[in-house]
Amino acid sequence: MDSKTVPGQGQHGQDEPGISPAVRSDASKNRSPGTGLDDESPRPPASTDLGFEAVTPGIDPRAYQNKGLTPGFPLSTHGGQPPSNASYFSKADTGIPQARRGMNSLGTRTTSRTAAVTMASQESLSDIRAANPDLSLSGNIISATFSAPHSFTYRSNGNWDLKSRGGQSALTNAFAYLSSEATPWNHTVVAWTGEIGLPQEPEISSSPHPSPPPSVGGQSSLNPLSAPVPVEASLPSSSAPSPVDGLWVPKADQERLENQLANDKSIPTIPVWLSDEAEANDEGITLKDQTRWRRYAEHDLYTLFHYKQQEPSDGRKERVQWADYYRMNQMFANRIIEKYKPGDIVVVHDYYLMLLPSMLRQRVPGMYIAFFLHSPFPSSEFLRCLPRRKEVLQGILGSNLIGFQSYSYSRHFLSCCTRILGFPSDTLGIDAYGSRVQVGVFPIGIDVAKVESFAWTPSVTEKVKALKSMYEGKKIIVGRDRLDSVRGVAQKLQAFERFLELYPEWREKVVLIQVTTPTVVEAEKGDPENKVATRVNELVSKINGQYGSLGFSPVQHYPQYLDQDEYFALLRAGDIGLITSVRDGMNTTSLEYIVCQKEGHGPLILSEFSGTAGSLGDALHINPWDLSGVAEKIHSALTMSKEKRMAMQSSLYSHVTSHNAQTWISKFIRKIYTVLGDSNNAIATPLLDRALMLARYRSANKRLCMFDYDGTLTPIVNEPSAAIPSERVIQSLKLLAADPKNTVWIISGRDQEFLKQHLGHISTIGFSAEHGSFMKYPGSDEWENLVEKLDMGWQDEVMKVFERYTDRVPGSFIERKRCALTWHYRLAEPEQGQAMARECHKTLVEGVGRKWEVEVMPGKANVEVRPTFVNKGEIAKRLVSSYHNPSSKEPNAGPVDFSLCMGDDFTDEDMFRALNGLSGSVLDPDHVFTVTVGASTKVTLARWHLLEPEDVVESVALLAGVDKEQNQPISQVNLAALSTVEGRVPDSQKI
């Protein structure tokens, strides 16, 4: 065992400076499964302790009273005394007594298989570097997760109270392992502090073990975690926003906490302080409405990913929530960049941080990034309901590797990337912007050693005996679920009712002990339509009324938190584990049940919609919507032979012990550097950072903007003459060109007449037609012919070739310009058009291309021939030379300190190449934005990308301030960028 210490305690048990003594007792308290374990994704609980004024209707109040063993379940008997220092729900193995680590109740080692698997899979850092010499791995891993392993309370004397954060034990155990000496990595976690509790006066007590708060019945609660919990959605949320004036934390106290977390021996952590820019300064930080940073993720993403669609709204609230979500991800990126060194591996976890991979890629294009989603991922038909679907997908695609809990989730993601973004994909990954993004399935596990250590303590064994004695002669079905819409508690009760109806011989011989804990998801707590709690209570009353008696109730429902011993006793005492979730990620309760049944061999009945179902193939799988089918499986489990139960348990136990939290994180990390080592080192073009672009634009005094037309300002259409600019394009270009600091040019392959017809009325814009053959400066009516002295005799020969292929390909046609000829086949049958285009291109290259100084260019559904030295790149060079005059004393003198160039096809690469060549020697490279447009897999010379013309138009509108000029709300994406630059959501946009 290493020398890692629990927070708030030094290596020799002394209090850390600035950390109150309460830290040690609070951090060591047993955590309940409702907060210390999670069925699915790591999700922080509410910021404050739950305190309520009413016992759930229909539930026996004795469940909350200190009466020893209550009917149906033996609650804690420690009489309000703090539990022992060891806890499965703590964040590291340091809490496991040495005498019990890896031992069962008989004193024999139970985790040798787990240890062997883990140790056998280890490689030294030298071996990893030798196998991947091109990666230059630093040996550092940075894990980004939404909430820190601890929850924090800030006290008015400047001290901090730390408690192990519930709801993410599997992930936290993996972090602890990755940070330990058992791996070759230096590991650091970057995480939000979570909602910090308001300052409280230091607690003064004459007793070393103060009594717990009284319950609603006037008697002491058995322990703080067993307090009554509300199940009516209308009751107040436990994570209500802080008062308007917020929580002020001085800089010295921030640094005290940061130092404590950075020096944590088990999981070194760097906290992210989330606030508006104006709320933080050199003296400290004011934390206001802390819950806002989770709202978009929990209201929009969590619900959608669990196939629950929100009611339509006017979108005003969602605009602000998206801006906060975007800014929160940006602040995570800032914090990671502060820590990052070349060669570090960054692993991003879960749906709270789905934009972070792309934001990191924007800052450091060559960074090694992986993303793991702990929740389900929906089908494309469902994801399309999300307004910000493109941004979410593009955010994740900043990764090199993306991991999911099950194959179906990865398949849904790949389908979404193809159907929504247009990226080609296969079962192993996606091709995007010149790079390959790998996708894999990595089911998470639990810390088996901890479960076995704490599930076979003498106190747990006593509770198991008490349960067995209380229900002697009866079979016990156990369930522990959060009370929300995706856990299927109502379906479970309905199925149990159906079981009692179909199999009357089991009446009064089977008891269902169902424990429910309150949901921690904002959307579930605040949804007035959430009738789950009421429905559950009604079903409990109905079943007990119909099939119970004065001496026995077939359903024992406990809406409360269980302490650690109670939870493990329940899992060990059960004859059947019943999980009926209608949608979840990785249900760790099922894994813990298997470990706890290594002696009892109780069958596991598992919903096929659980993320664990794919891994636990030997469990009894059920469809929770098929009540009769579930009832039949319950009967099968009850009547299963001992031999079959033992065989099932042996197989499941073998899987759980060999696929634990340690092997999960080890395999995922190994896959990351394997993917990086196998790649061709191509770096994906990152998504345009609109916030960065806007910041650089605002700071510049002389700006040059160059735009392609087709496929950039307007979508590609079948008929070229139909590519007419929208009113928003016209207004955006007008406002952009009206700024005296700006020079705006349209550089297109279109001819003069087309550009004059559709955009010529904007006199402040310059034009370049036919790929640079003609130019017209802003404010001028004269077109300059740059190729009038060229021999154009090649056109006749090219025309003959084009006519021949036009005859062969129905739907194709020829466009004749003054300096170029183009053969279009976008109206032709796609496969024939592409095949003939390749043949036509080859014919021209081998004929005209060898005799004349012309360039044969394949475009988007076209082939074009033009003079070699006429291209958009030459125009870009000419414009920079014309406008960039830092030493001149002319009225318009000065350096071009902001350059923006956007285009979508092969011809625009010439502009990107020219600007790249000028960057550094002439232009500041950090102020040059070259942007390619479209879902193309080509390797581009541009530094940034956008998905489609609509994104280009919105980016231009952001720079020009179109919405502000027209007194209209800014789009969600632009509001996010604007809020990032200004450090807060503008008050004018909170409408």
Side-chain angles (χ1 to χ4, degrees):
M1 181 174 176
D2 60 30
S3 60
K4 292 181 291 188
T5 58
V6 296
Q9 198 172 28
Q11 294 185 21
H12 303 289
Q14 299 301 314
D15 294 335
E16 295 284 354
I19 307 298
S20 71
V23 172
R24 285 164 40 188
S25 61
D26 284 343
S28 65
K29 286 181 181 178
N30 285 6
R31 300 295 294 173
S32 73
T35 56
L37 288 173
D38 194 6
D39 321 87
E40 181 210 315
S41 54
R43 188 174 301 105
S47 60
T48 57
D49 291 336
L50 299 171
F52 308 103
E53 300 180 355
V55 176
T56 305
I59 304 301
D60 191 337
R62 291 175 295 176
Y64 309 114
Q65 297 175 1
N66 190 9
K67 294 290 188 180
L69 301 183
T70 61
F73 194 73
L75 297 176
S76 294
T77 57
H78 54 70
Q81 301 298 320
S84 64
N85 212 32
S87 172
Y88 171 57
F89 308 107
S90 63
K91 67 185 185 66
D93 288 341
T94 53
I96 303 178
Q98 280 279 34
R100 295 211 317 270
R101 185 182 298 275
M103 301 291 183
N104 64 14
S105 58
L106 300 177
T108 58
R109 185 163 299 278
T110 61
T111 56
S112 57
R113 176 184 177 89
T114 301
V117 172
T118 302
M119 294 304 295
S121 64
Q122 289 307 315
E123 298 176 275
S124 71
L125 191 56
S126 298
D127 293 336
I128 296 171
R129 285 170 172 162
N132 303 276
D134 296 334
L135 295 185
S136 301
L137 293 170
S138 66
N140 300 324
I141 293 178
I142 301 173
S143 293
T145 185
F146 182 61
S147 292
H150 291 99
S151 59
F152 309 104
T153 298
Y154 176 63
R155 299 203 176 271
S156 56
N157 59 7
N159 289 331
W160 295 91
D161 286 352
L162 281 66
K163 294 182 180 179
S164 295
R165 185 181 297 279
Q168 52 190 47
S169 64
L171 180 62
T172 303
N173 289 330
F175 285 165
Y177 171 73
L178 199 57
S179 304
S180 72
E181 295 179 0
T183 74
W185 304 101
N186 297 316
H187 179 238
T188 303
V189 171
V190 175
W192 178 41
T193 60
E195 292 94 342
I196 295 176
L198 293 175
Q200 302 290 330
E201 291 300 324
E203 295 180 3
I204 301 175
S205 175
S206 58
S207 169
H209 302 301
S211 299
S215 70
V216 296
Q219 303 183 36
S220 283
S221 174
L222 294 172
N223 63 69
L225 299 178
S226 297
V229 298
V231 291
E232 294 292 345
S234 59
L235 292 180
S237 166
S238 62
S239 54
S242 303
V244 175
D245 56 351
L247 170 62
W248 168 253
V249 181
K251 191 69 174 180
D253 294 343
Q254 285 183 260
E255 292 173 349
R256 184 180 293 112
L257 178 63
E258 291 181 7
N259 181 67
Q260 168 71 12
L261 296 176
N263 292 301
D264 190 331
K265 295 298 192 300
S266 54
I267 307 180
T269 302
I270 297 175
V272 180
W273 301 87
L274 299 179
S275 71
D276 287 345
E277 191 173 288
E279 296 167 358
N281 54 44
D282 293 339
E283 297 180 358
I285 189 170
T286 301
L287 304 175
K288 295 182 179 180
D289 190 11
Q290 299 178 63
T291 308
R292 61 180 154 153
W293 306 111
R294 68 170 73 246
R295 285 183 186 140
Y296 182 82
E298 295 184 1
H299 280 84
D300 291 66
L301 297 181
Y302 173 86
T303 51
L304 190 81
F305 286 6
H306 289 80
Y307 288 79
K308 181 180 178 182
Q309 181 61 35
Q310 298 281 21
E311 290 294 323
S313 70
D314 58 15
R316 289 180 292 181
K317 181 174 62 176
E318 287 78 4
R319 294 174 68 253
V320 175
Q321 290 176 356
W322 170 259
D324 287 335
Y325 182 76
Y326 181 93
R327 288 195 298 141
M328 180 263 290
N329 278 260
Q330 283 280 14
M331 286 184 270
F332 264 83
N334 296 339
R335 199 68 159 139
I336 290 172
I337 292 300
E338 293 174 5
K339 172 71 176 176
Y340 173 80
K341 293 180 176 60
D344 290 359
I345 294 175
V346 179
V347 184
V348 182
H349 290 271
D350 224 11
Y351 58 88
Y352 292 96
L353 301 175
M354 297 186 93
L355 305 182
L356 183 55
S358 179
M359 290 176 175
L360 292 173
R361 184 72 63 205
Q362 291 167 346
R363 315 286 184 87
V364 185
M367 185 182 288
Y368 306 146
I369 306 172
F371 178 85
F372 190 86
L373 184 66
H374 295 258
S375 76
F377 195 89
S379 68
S380 60
E381 291 304 313
F382 218 80
L383 188 71
R384 286 164 66 142
C385 299
L386 184 69
R388 300 274 67 81
R389 59 201 180 191
K390 291 192 309 180
E391 289 75 18
V392 166
L393 291 174
Q394 287 185 316
I396 307 174
L397 287 175
S399 311
N400 300 103
L401 172 67
I402 303 172
F404 294 91
Q405 296 277 19
S406 74
Y407 173 72
S408 62
Y409 302 157
S410 69
R411 181 167 50 84
H412 288 161
F413 175 76
L414 293 167
S415 174
C416 288
C417 290
T418 300
R419 296 187 178 189
I420 296 175
L421 299 181
F423 290 107
S425 64
D426 54 40
T427 56
L428 299 178
I430 308 110
D431 296 316
Y433 295 100
S435 182
R436 177 75 170 175
V437 180
Q438 292 280 354
V439 172
V441 178
F442 308 90
I444 199 170
I446 59 173
D447 191 327
V448 177
K450 275 192 174 184
V451 173
E452 294 190 335
S453 294
F454 291 105
W456 269 270
T457 62
S459 59
V460 172
T461 301
E462 288 178 9
K463 288 180 170 59
V464 173
K465 291 178 180 178
L467 271 172
K468 291 288 190 181
S469 174
M470 181 174 296
Y471 295 105
E472 186 176 0
K474 296 179 174 60
K475 297 293 186 179
I476 300 174
I477 302 175
V478 298
R480 197 278 299 177
D481 305 273
R482 286 204 305 269
L483 199 58
D484 56 33
S485 59
V486 302
R487 302 302 164 186
V489 178
Q491 286 83 351
K492 181 186 300 185
L493 292 169
Q494 288 175 298
F496 185 65
E497 179 184 19
R498 181 63 172 159
F499 164 76
L500 294 176
E501 177 186 349
L502 293 177
Y503 302 95
E505 66 273 19
W506 284 105
R507 296 173 188 174
E508 298 200 6
K509 295 181 181 178
V510 176
V511 60
L512 169 62
I513 301 178
Q514 176 64 48
V515 179
T516 56
T517 55
T519 181
V520 297
V521 179
E522 278 291 306
E524 294 280 357
K525 290 185 290 188
D527 182 5
E529 297 302 320
N530 182 8
K531 303 299 184 183
V532 177
T534 301
R535 179 62 174 151
V536 166
N537 290 335
E538 291 173 349
L539 287 169
V540 170
S541 299
K542 178 183 177 185
I543 297 170
N544 287 341
Q546 184 170 356
Y547 297 104
S549 63
L550 290 176
F552 174 72
S553 296
V555 178
Q556 300 292 327
H557 179 211
Y558 294 89
Q560 65 186 74
Y561 290 113
L562 298 183
D563 73 12
Q564 176 178 287
D565 287 356
E566 294 167 350
Y567 175 66
F568 287 128
L570 180 63
L571 296 189
R572 282 182 57 188
D575 295 293
I576 294 175
L578 182 56
I579 296 173
T580 55
S581 11
V582 296
R583 187 73 56 178
D584 68 12
M586 190 54 56
N587 192 301
T588 55
T589 299
S590 60
L591 306 179
E592 291 146 6
Y593 176 80
I594 291 170
V595 174
C596 290
Q597 285 295 318
K598 66 178 183 179
E599 295 176 352
H601 311 132
L604 172 65
I605 301 177
L606 181 63
S607 168
E608 65 187 52
F609 298 111
S610 168
T612 354
S615 304
L616 304 179
D618 288 318
L620 298 175
H621 291 186
I622 50 96
N623 176 356
W625 303 102
D626 179 7
L627 303 182
S628 296
V630 178
E632 181 182 347
K633 289 293 185 182
I634 294 174
H635 181 260
S636 297
L638 290 171
T639 57
M640 187 180 295
S641 67
K642 180 179 179 181
E643 292 74 18
K644 190 172 182 180
R645 286 192 291 110
M646 292 180 64
M648 176 188 293
Q649 170 63 20
S650 175
S651 175
L652 292 173
Y653 182 80
S654 174
H655 174 85
V656 173
T657 53
S658 60
H659 295 80
N660 55 30
Q662 292 81 5
T663 57
W664 166 72
I665 195 64
S666 298
K667 289 178 181 178
F668 189 58
I669 298 299
R670 186 182 303 114
K671 184 64 175 180
I672 295 172
Y673 60 74
T674 301
V675 165
L676 293 168
D678 293 342
S679 67
N680 58 6
N681 295 321
I683 297 176
T685 310
L687 180 68
L688 175 63
D689 188 341
R690 297 193 197 186
L692 178 64
M693 179 184 68
L694 178 60
R696 297 283 162 80
Y697 175 87
R698 287 184 169 184
S699 66
N701 292 313
K702 194 172 185 181
R703 313 173 184 119
L704 175 61
C705 302
M706 296 167 279
F707 303 101
D708 175 41
Y709 184 79
D710 290 286
T712 302
L713 293 175
T714 63
I716 295 293
V717 293
N718 291 332
E719 177 56 49
S721 61
I724 299 173
S726 66
E727 185 62 28
R728 188 163 178 81
V729 169
I730 293 173
Q731 291 299 322
S732 298
L733 291 175
K734 273 185 178 180
L735 278 176
L736 194 68
D739 190 327
K741 294 182 179 181
N742 297 342
T743 300
V744 180
W745 278 76
I746 305 299
I747 304 177
S748 173
R750 291 283 188 167
D751 59 27
Q752 301 155 266
E753 290 303 317
F754 182 92
L755 295 177
K756 180 180 178 180
Q757 177 184 353
H758 295 293
L759 294 173
H761 61 285
I762 309 177
S763 60
T764 50
I765 291 181
F767 296 96
S768 172
E770 297 192 30
H771 302 291
S773 299
F774 302 90
M775 293 180 66
K776 185 175 81 70
Y777 280 83
S780 172
D781 293 329
E782 298 297 324
W783 285 90
E784 181 182 352
N785 188 343
L786 303 181
V787 295
E788 59 183 340
K789 296 182 180 179
L790 294 180
D791 183 357
M792 308 297 286
W794 55 268
Q795 288 189 335
D796 292 337
E797 189 172 344
V798 172
M799 181 61 74
K800 291 179 181 178
V801 174
F802 280 169
E803 287 175 344
R804 185 164 70 249
Y805 280 92
T806 301
D807 292 339
R808 295 172 61 184
V809 182
S812 63
F813 60 93
I814 302 169
E815 180 185 6
R816 182 159 194 164
K817 305 171 186 177
R818 294 178 63 179
C819 297
L821 289 174
T822 307
W823 179 63
H824 295 276
Y825 59 89
R826 64 185 61 173
L827 297 178
E829 195 279 324
E831 292 186 4
Q832 183 189 25
Q834 293 171 8
M836 291 295 99
R838 289 191 293 268
E839 184 179 314
C840 178
H841 180 269
K842 181 179 179 181
T843 300
L844 291 170
V845 169
E846 294 177 351
V848 178
R850 293 180 178 178
K851 294 187 291 184
W852 299 85
E853 292 185 352
V854 295
E855 186 174 12
V856 183
M857 301 180 303
K860 289 188 175 180
N862 66 64
V863 177
E864 182 166 288
V865 183
R866 69 182 185 192
T868 302
F869 49 84
V870 175
N871 60 64
K872 294 181 178 182
E874 294 300 320
I875 297 299
K877 292 179 184 177
R878 180 185 289 246
L879 293 179
V880 172
S881 176
S882 175
Y883 293 107
H884 183 80
N885 40 22
S887 58
S888 174
K889 296 183 180 180
E890 297 293 326
N892 196 31
V896 173
D897 48 4
F898 177 85
S899 302
L900 175 63
C901 180
M902 293 182 164
D904 72 305
D905 67 9
F906 180 82
T907 64
D908 299 309
E909 294 294 317
D910 293 328
M911 289 195 290
F912 304 150
R913 183 181 294 108
L915 290 173
N916 289 344
L918 294 171
S919 296
S921 58
V922 178
L923 303 173
D924 184 343
D926 291 335
H927 293 256
V928 175
F929 289 80
T930 51
V931 186
T932 189
V933 184
S936 172
T937 57
K938 67 178 182 294
V939 177
T940 179
L941 295 172
R943 183 180 176 185
W944 307 94
H945 84 250
L946 286 172
L947 184 62
E948 56 191 2
E950 178 185 352
D951 299 322
V952 173
V953 176
E954 287 305 306
S955 298
V956 177
L958 173 65
L959 298 181
V962 172
D963 297 312
K964 182 178 180 181
E965 182 73 17
Q966 298 177 347
N967 198 27
Q968 295 291 325
I970 303 175
S971 70
Q972 283 190 24
V973 178
N974 283 347
L975 177 60
L978 177 65
S979 301
T980 300
V981 173
E982 297 190 354
R984 65 185 184 89
V985 178
D987 292 335
S988 61
Q989 296 299 320
K990 295 179 180 179
I991 56 175

